[in-house]
Amino acid sequence: ENRGLQSQPPPEEQNYGATAAHVRQGPFVPVSRNGPAKRDYPTAAVLCYANLINFMDWFIVPGTLIDIQKYFELSDGDTGLLQTVFILCYMLAAPIFGYLGDRYNRKIILGAGIFFWSVVTLGSSFISESYYWIFFLSRGLVGIGTASYSTIAPTIIADLFEEGKRTTILSIFYIFIPVGSGLGYVLAAGMADVTGDWHWAFRITPCMGGLALVLLILLVPHRTQRRTAAHRALSISGTIRVAAERPDVRRTAKATWCQDVISLAKNRSFVWSSLGLTAMAFVTGALGMWVPLFLYRAQVVQGIVPPCLQESCNSSNSIIFGVITIGTGILGVVAGAEAARRLRKINNKADPLICATSMCISALCLYIALMVAQTNILSTFIFIAFGELFLSVNWAVVTDILLYVVTPRQQSTAIALQILVSHLLGDAGSPYLIGIISNAIQAKNAHSFQWNFWSMQYSFIVCAFVGVFGGGFFLLTSFYIEEDRKEAEQ
């Protein structure tokens, strides 16, 4: 019966969304795979480049935070809210794009998202100080455009490459999170220093976004096929026959979004790893927003730099922090992927255990960095670097966990839900929470540079405790990951 199977999937299954029939084979049906096509690598390269721009744009605001705070005359709480607006719009839009990505043409969605966020970012560079609320609104709109990309791009990579190669490509893809974040700081601070005007920092990434859009149109195929065993092995007649003999297959193919959500909620590995990612997002969101300002206040207290009273403030901390983010990000992602590749051979629970260990070490490093900031700024930089390094270990590993404990038909939805939860409970609130805690501490004490520093230091301690909780969530993931992986493979 299997000898007559076609090597190519039938027309109705050559689809990019969940409208294609997804059926499951028994263990005796062979599935051939000749490796990724040559065009798959340029597609992955375009997605990596767009991911770079995505996170550069994300961290332009933190890179010029001192200037923006002074330009719009914002308190710490209001400044933190600026990033919270961005994240809230990003996470609320993510499930919508997850739904669309599972059902409609993903290339069109990606292109529209890149074009939208590029135009809005460019427009935000022309806002005057009298219209700060428009600047807040523009960051929210950029978050919506970003969600269209972040939700869909990893699923395309998952479709193009099998497990071994997929981990490598995902590692490269996620290297551009810290690299893009760091370049965002460097670009923002560099443009502010060169031009004397922080607005110019918002006029570079839109040009890079235009190039990404052109590359997307030229190099990414119009239809990116969902790769499952059924897609590669079944002929039209085989699909009809299996669907007739297996009523459960028809139900799976026609599952609604609500049924997908219920199914994912029962997937314990997905739930616990998503909560672990939420803790990561909480910590990275707070660090990304406030570290340059925290370092500046520590230096003022130590007398290393004078208080910023001129039009354009010193941006050296943003540049140094950006370089640290790039270096530790690359090293962390590569080390995490390599550790996962090696340890999986001896322990099936290696991935969540790696994440749990790195989260706890990162929390300890960040706590030490906070404690030594008032007396030794060099030690603060060193321990912040180690904290970021161990956080970066988890980026590709967490995504790979999701991709092998969730069935292919639900992956865009799963990523969208993970984005929603991790940002809702993570970095959507952490910058604002740190800001309002800092405001509350300042309000109860005399206004001084010393208390400006202490208020930020005390509020930052929350991140260390959240990091420990994140390690616990990943440890819980290890209890269920083998069972959930086997169920997804079936």
Side-chain angles (χ1 to χ4, degrees):
E1 181 181 60
N2 295 329
R3 292 174 189 154
L5 295 180
Q6 298 175 1
S7 60
Q8 297 295 325
E12 66 267 28
E13 293 194 65
Q14 292 178 333
N15 208 317
Y16 37 77
T19 53
H22 290 269
V23 297
R24 302 195 183 278
Q25 281 287 78
F28 299 104
V29 176
V31 177
S32 62
R33 181 78 165 107
N34 296 322
K38 290 183 178 180
R39 70 176 184 178
D40 293 348
Y41 291 103
T43 297
V46 172
L47 296 178
C48 288
Y49 172 67
N51 204 35
L52 174 74
I53 306 168
N54 181 17
F55 281 88
M56 285 179 64
D57 192 86
W58 194 319
F59 285 92
I60 287 178
V61 168
T64 55
L65 190 61
I66 300 174
D67 288 315
I68 292 175
Q69 188 177 39
K70 183 160 59 69
Y71 182 79
F72 291 113
E73 298 181 354
L74 303 174
S75 67
D76 284 352
D78 292 336
T79 304
L81 185 62
L82 184 62
Q83 192 75 344
T84 295
V85 169
F86 172 87
I87 300 296
L88 281 174
C89 292
Y90 171 78
M91 71 177 191
L92 292 175
I96 298 174
F97 288 111
Y99 176 88
L100 297 174
D102 278 339
R103 289 159 176 81
Y104 300 103
N105 191 303
R106 293 181 289 184
K107 179 178 178 178
I108 294 176
I109 298 172
L110 288 179
I114 292 173
F115 176 79
F116 183 75
W117 98 55
S118 298
V119 170
V120 175
T121 298
L122 180 62
S124 67
S125 69
F126 298 99
I127 299 172
S128 69
E129 66 270 21
S130 302
Y131 297 96
Y132 69 91
W133 60 271
I134 298 181
F135 189 76
F136 276 70
L137 176 62
S138 70
R139 295 310 295 169
L141 294 176
V142 170
I144 293 175
T146 301
S148 67
Y149 178 82
S150 298
T151 305
I152 295 171
T155 67
I156 296 178
I157 292 177
D159 291 344
L160 296 178
F161 302 95
E162 294 290 352
E163 181 176 343
K165 183 67 68 174
R166 183 186 68 208
T167 302
T168 302
I169 300 300
L170 279 175
S171 299
I172 297 172
F173 180 81
Y174 281 102
I175 279 176
F176 288 97
I177 291 179
V179 171
S181 303
L183 286 177
Y185 287 105
V186 174
L187 169 67
M191 290 301 297
D193 285 343
V194 170
T195 63
D197 184 0
W198 62 268
H199 291 88
W200 281 97
F202 290 79
R203 297 167 186 169
I204 304 300
T205 53
C207 299
M208 299 175 69
L211 175 59
L213 185 60
V214 172
L215 293 175
L216 181 77
I217 294 172
L218 296 178
L219 299 179
V220 177
H222 186 66
R223 297 192 175 204
T224 50
Q225 176 189 329
R226 296 281 184 185
R227 295 187 184 273
T228 66
H231 278 133
R232 293 190 296 268
L234 287 180
S235 65
I236 297 176
S237 60
T239 302
I240 297 173
R241 180 169 57 256
V242 172
E245 296 173 356
R246 295 275 303 279
D248 58 303
V249 168
R250 293 197 302 271
R251 288 195 299 269
T252 301
K254 297 179 180 179
T256 65
W257 183 82
C258 291
Q259 289 173 326
D260 286 344
V261 173
I262 293 172
S263 174
L264 291 170
K266 296 177 181 179
N267 187 323
R268 290 170 293 186
S269 296
F270 170 74
V271 171
W272 289 119
S273 63
S274 296
L275 291 175
L277 181 62
T278 300
M280 286 176 56
F282 185 98
V283 176
T284 55
L287 291 178
M289 187 67 178
W290 291 113
V291 161
L293 182 60
F294 171 73
L295 294 171
Y296 159 75
R297 291 182 180 180
Q299 290 170 336
V300 169
V301 169
Q302 294 182 36
I304 298 175
V305 299
C308 177
L309 302 175
Q310 67 270 25
E311 179 65 24
S312 181
C313 300
N314 188 306
S315 302
S316 60
N317 286 325
S318 293
I319 295 175
I320 295 172
F321 183 64
V323 172
I324 289 174
T325 301
I326 294 171
T328 58
I330 294 173
L331 182 60
V333 171
V334 171
E338 182 62 18
R341 187 184 68 82
R342 292 177 179 271
L343 294 178
R344 282 174 194 161
K345 298 176 182 179
I346 59 177
N347 190 338
N348 292 331
K349 300 179 180 181
D351 287 355
L353 293 177
I354 289 171
C355 293
T357 303
S358 62
M359 280 295 293
C360 291
I361 296 175
S362 174
L364 177 62
C365 292
L366 293 176
Y367 181 80
I368 296 174
L370 295 175
M371 293 300 102
V372 302
Q374 186 172 344
T375 57
N376 192 323
I377 201 69
L378 177 60
S379 297
T380 303
F381 274 115
I382 292 173
F383 281 103
I384 286 176
F386 277 110
E388 286 207 300
L389 173 66
F390 285 100
L391 276 177
S392 298
V393 164
N394 293 350
W395 284 118
V397 181
V398 171
T399 302
D400 212 23
I401 289 174
L402 180 148
L403 293 174
Y404 64 66
V405 300
V406 174
T407 59
R409 185 182 56 80
Q410 298 175 335
Q411 283 175 356
S412 284
T413 297
I415 290 176
L417 289 175
Q418 194 173 77
I419 288 174
L420 175 63
V421 173
S422 63
H423 291 300
L424 177 64
L425 303 178
D427 55 351
S430 62
Y432 183 55
L433 178 63
I434 299 300
I436 60 174
I437 293 175
S438 178
N439 276 354
I441 294 173
Q442 290 178 36
K444 294 182 179 181
N445 298 278
H447 177 72
S448 66
F449 294 119
Q450 182 69 67
W451 273 109
N452 283 348
F453 166 74
W454 279 339
S455 64
M456 187 63 65
Q457 182 188 47
Y458 297 155
S459 59
F460 250 139
I461 293 176
V462 174
C463 293
F465 289 100
V466 172
V468 174
F469 277 109
F473 292 138
F474 284 120
L475 183 61
L476 288 172
T477 304
S478 68
F479 296 156
Y480 307 105
I481 194 164
E482 291 180 290
E483 177 185 346
D484 291 332
R485 180 171 187 165
K486 290 178 182 177
E487 184 174 346
E489 289 174 348
Q490 293 172 0

